Amino acid sequence: MTIERTPLTFQSGGAVCAATLFAPAAPRARMPCVVMANGFSGTMDWILPWFAERFATAGLAVLTFDYRHLGQSGGEPRQIVDVQEQRADLRAAVALARSRQGIDPERVALWGTSLGGSHVVEIAAEDPRIAAVILNMPALDALAGARAKARRERARVSRATMAWVTARLLAAAVRDAARGALGRPPRYLAVHGAPGEAFFTDPGLAPRFERVAAESATWQNRVAARFLLRLPRYREGTMERIAAPILVCLAEHDVEVSAEFVRAKAAKARRADVRVYAAGHFDLYHGDTFEQAVADQTEFLRAHLAP
C-alpha cells in the first residue's frame, strides 16, 4: 500500500505547530485517524513515524506533530517542555484531524508514549468523542508514579549522591524559572548526561540517545530546567472518566515509570486492556518488542475504529 505524507500546520497558543499526516493514497472512504503525542523532549521525526507507517499501512490516517518550542514548531524560547502547553497543543492537533477532508471526525483516536501518555489521558477524559486510546508506558505522575529507588539502583549511586543530584537539579530549575520571569535565556539541562546536569543519567541509555541524535534531525539533547517545577501529576478519577476503550502497553522492567501505579489506575477505567512486555522503558520502540507492540496496537485500532 502506498502511504502519503502531507506536511501541515496548525495554531496553538499563538505559535505555529508543524504536523505530518500519514495516510493511504486514494482512500475509498473517510478514514479514522490516530493523533500521536510524543514523550519528553520528543519530536515527530523520532519514534512516531515507525508506528505511524504501520498504522497507515493498515488503512488508518495518522497525525504526528511537534509541540511548540520543539522540533519544527514555533515558539520561543526553544526547548521548553511545559505540560499544560503541550496538552493545549494536543487539543489543537485533534481539532485539526477532525477538520480534515477525508477523515471521519467521530473516529479519532489518541496514542501517547511516556509523558505524552499523561497528556492523552487528560484529553481523553475531557473529550467523550475520542474513539480509542493507546498508552505506551504512560508517565501519569512524575512523583507518585516514578520509580526513584529503581533508578538509583540502576545508576548505582547512594542515597546521599541521589539527594545531592536532586538538590542540584532543583536549584537549576529555580534559576531557570527566575531567568524566564526576567526574559533571559533558559538554563538548560541535558536530556541524557552526567548526574546533576541531566534528566536521564543511566549510562546504559547512552546508545539509545546516541541513536536518537543520529536519526532525528530536529531532536536536541537539552530541555529548560524549569520543567522540574511543573511535573505532571495524576488527578484521581481521571481514568474513570475516559469513555473510549483503552490499550495500555507496559514494560515489565521499566525503571522510569511504575507499571504497578499505571495498572492500579487502569483497573478503575471503564474499558482498559493492559499488555505487559518483557522489556525496559525504551525497548518498546525497537526489535522484537516493537514488532509485538505495534501488532497489538494495530489490531486494537482496527477493532475499535471500524466503520
Side-chain angles (χ1 to χ4, degrees):
M1 178 183 293
T2 302
I3 304 302
E4 295 181 342
R5 296 190 183 197
T6 304
L8 302 171
T9 60
F10 61 91
Q11 293 278 339
S12 181
V16 177
C17 292
T20 300
L21 182 68
F22 295 71
R28 297 180 180 179
R30 290 198 302 175
M31 298 173 290
C33 183
V34 183
V35 180
M36 306 188 77
N38 213 336
F40 178 71
S41 82
T43 49
M44 65 177 172
D45 56 355
W46 174 38
I47 298 172
L48 304 189
W50 310 334
F51 287 87
E53 289 175 355
R54 299 290 282 272
F55 297 158
T57 300
L60 309 173
V62 184
L63 183 70
T64 66
F65 68 96
D66 280 336
Y67 304 111
R68 72 185 94 162
H69 305 290
L70 301 176
Q72 299 176 49
S73 289
E76 294 292 338
R78 304 303 295 166
Q79 298 304 118
I80 302 292
V81 174
D82 183 289
V83 169
Q84 297 307 318
E85 286 187 354
Q86 291 194 346
R87 290 175 181 174
D89 298 344
L90 179 54
R91 293 185 189 96
V94 170
L96 171 66
R98 287 174 172 156
S99 72
R100 293 289 298 175
Q101 184 176 6
I103 289 178
D104 184 345
E106 300 306 320
R107 290 190 291 154
V108 172
L110 295 179
W111 181 104
T113 193
S114 197
L115 179 61
S118 75
H119 301 340
V120 162
V121 166
E122 285 288 331
I123 305 310
E126 69 186 36
D127 186 346
R129 294 177 67 194
I130 295 299
V133 171
I134 292 178
L135 304 173
N136 278 328
M137 301 94 55
L140 299 181
D141 192 302
L143 299 181
R147 297 193 63 197
K149 181 180 179 181
R151 293 182 68 178
R152 177 175 60 79
E153 292 175 348
R154 179 74 173 266
R156 298 179 181 178
V157 298
S158 66
R159 286 190 176 88
T161 299
M162 183 61 75
W164 171 82
V165 167
T166 301
R168 185 178 174 90
L169 293 176
L170 290 176
V174 171
R175 289 196 297 271
D176 179 45
R179 293 175 67 87
L182 295 172
R184 300 180 64 187
R187 160 71 162 91
Y188 292 109
L189 294 172
V191 178
H192 181 266
E197 288 295 329
F199 294 95
F200 296 98
T201 59
D202 182 355
L205 295 178
R208 300 291 194 200
F209 285 99
E210 289 170 1
R211 179 180 177 183
V212 174
E215 297 181 358
S216 172
T218 63
W219 181 80
Q220 295 184 35
N221 187 26
R222 61 174 190 164
V223 164
R226 68 192 71 172
F227 170 74
L228 292 170
L229 300 181
R230 300 184 66 183
L231 296 170
R233 301 302 309 275
Y234 180 78
R235 293 182 296 173
E236 289 299 329
T238 303
M239 278 281 196
E240 293 91 319
R241 299 203 316 273
I242 298 177
I246 307 169
L247 176 62
V248 183
C249 298
L250 299 176
E252 182 180 2
H253 309 302
D254 198 335
V255 298
E256 309 300 335
V257 172
S258 169
E260 291 77 11
F261 181 87
V262 177
R263 288 177 74 109
K265 303 309 175 188
K268 300 178 182 179
R270 303 181 201 181
R271 306 161 64 190
D273 178 8
V274 179
R275 309 284 178 90
V276 181
Y277 304 88
H281 185 77
F282 294 94
D283 295 332
L284 257 66
Y285 314 133
H286 307 286
D288 293 341
T289 308
F290 165 76
E291 291 297 332
Q292 183 179 358
V294 75
D296 290 344
Q297 293 176 12
T298 302
E299 179 183 10
F300 171 83
L301 290 169
R302 293 183 71 171
H304 293 288
L305 298 181

